[in-house]
Amino acid sequence: FTKVQDAADRTEQSLANLQLAIALAAYRADAGHYPARLDEMTPKYLPAVPGDLFSGKPLVYRPTAAGYLLYSVG
């Protein structure tokens, strides 16, 4: 059961990260740059910023010169 739950959690987190990446692309298309913080995308691009299912904390997001870094600790 634990392996099945872990796989389900990873799938759910991957989907949330993908939706966030799509919202980031839409934000960039409109603004010409990525946001400094993920909460700048609510509510226009996302109803709420997804969290990290594995740590219970916010996802790690850092804008960079070439784009951004986004990940979950899971």
Side-chain angles (χ1 to χ4, degrees), residues 54-74:
F54 297 96
S55 70
K57 297 179 180 179
L59 290 166
V60 175
Y61 169 74
R62 292 186 192 116
T64 66
Y68 61 87
L69 175 67
L70 174 70
Y71 65 91
S72 160
V73 298

Side-chain angles (χ1 to χ4, degrees), residues 13-44:
Q13 187 67 62
S14 293
L15 179 59
N17 291 2
L18 177 60
Q19 291 171 333
L20 187 50
I22 293 167
L24 282 162
Y27 182 102
R28 183 172 185 253
D30 289 347
H33 59 85
Y34 291 109
R37 296 180 329 273
L38 292 176
D39 62 358
E40 293 176 30
M41 298 195 321
T42 60
K44 182 176 181 180

